[in-house]
Amino acid sequence: MNLNDWFEKGMSVNEYIGAMTRNKEQMLSIYEKFALKEEDTVRLETLKPRKLRAIVLTEDWCGDAMLNNPVLLRIAEAADMEVRMVLRDQNLELMDQYLTNGTSRAIPIFIFIDQEGNEVGVWGPRAPEVQARVERERAALPDKDAEDFQEKQLALYKQLAASYQTDASIWQTVANSIMAVLLK
């Protein structure tokens, strides 16, 4: 299947949101609170003539998708970019073409295409700064064999999710990272 076919197969943003059973309120809260800087909106408007589109490999249970998808939606609005959501777990054929580090089905993955279906950029699953933070905090966890590993890991994920929902600087970091792919 080519990328135009995957785009056509994808759900509209509204269909995806309507079907969400997890993280819906959190994702919508980020979407409502996040606004692009005026200078970013002006820069993104330069993309409008290119008529780019985005295929988003995602799942509603994913904390990174909860953070990154609403930021992408704001960027897409400013760039007049149509977005389609493709569920990772039902579309492994596409997912396996966009593995993180060649091995991981980490999401979300944003595949930016032109009108002919040519890939013009790929982003995800995290902004480099967010990835570095996650790696730093994971490194502080006890050994996987430790009695309290699972408890501490769960606490870390809850803390990360909480910061994803409230820290506007993280939202801007994600926006900057996505825009770096789109505006290169």
Side-chain angles (χ1 to χ4, degrees):
M1 224 193 277
N2 68 37
L3 291 174
N4 270 337
D5 292 337
W6 285 109
F7 181 83
E8 292 303 323
K9 181 181 179 178
M11 292 183 274
S12 72
V13 172
N14 287 338
E15 288 170 331
Y16 172 74
I17 291 170
M20 288 180 77
T21 60
R22 296 182 59 190
N23 291 324
K24 181 176 180 174
E25 294 77 21
Q26 296 89 332
M27 187 189 96
L28 291 174
S29 174
I30 294 169
Y31 176 80
E32 291 301 321
K33 293 175 189 171
F34 176 67
L36 289 165
K37 295 178 181 176
E38 187 174 335
E39 63 264 25
D40 292 337
T41 301
V42 170
R43 289 173 50 218
L44 288 164
E45 285 176 356
T46 66
L47 295 174
K48 287 181 178 182
R50 294 179 63 194
K51 294 184 164 72
L52 297 178
R53 298 171 294 154
I55 301 167
V56 176
L57 278 160
T58 191
E59 290 286 347
D60 66 355
W61 47 256
C62 175
D64 290 309
M66 173 194 72
L67 164 64
N68 298 322
N69 289 352
V71 174
L72 172 69
L73 294 178
R74 288 294 185 199
I75 289 170
E77 290 166 0
D80 204 16
M81 184 184 330
E82 191 176 351
V83 176
R84 294 287 176 89
M85 313 304 258
V86 175
L87 298 179
R88 179 196 77 174
D89 295 347
Q90 296 172 19
N91 296 282
L92 296 179
E93 178 186 343
L94 179 61
M95 180 71 247
D96 288 349
Q97 296 176 50
Y98 293 93
L99 299 175
T100 300
N101 300 323
T103 59
S104 174
R105 290 177 172 160
I107 51 175
I109 299 292
F110 303 156
I111 307 159
F112 300 107
I113 60 173
D114 63 18
Q115 288 297 303
E116 289 74 47
N118 299 308
E119 180 185 296
V120 297
V122 177
W123 184 92
R126 293 186 179 123
E129 299 87 343
V130 175
Q131 180 65 26
R133 176 183 172 197
V134 170
E135 288 173 4
R136 212 172 33 252
E137 295 191 20
R138 276 188 188 150
L141 288 171
D143 188 66
K144 287 186 178 184
D145 297 331
E147 225 175 81
D148 62 347
F149 172 76
Q150 291 220 305
E151 174 190 334
K152 300 261 185 189
Q153 184 182 44
L154 185 60
L156 169 61
Y157 291 155
K158 281 185 178 183
Q159 181 264 325
L160 284 170
S163 68
Y164 287 177
Q165 293 171 56
T166 58
D167 187 341
S169 69
I170 294 175
W171 308 336
Q172 188 60 52
T173 296
V174 170
N176 292 344
S177 180
I178 296 169
M179 288 186 295
V181 169
L182 286 170
L183 296 166
K184 64 181 173 188

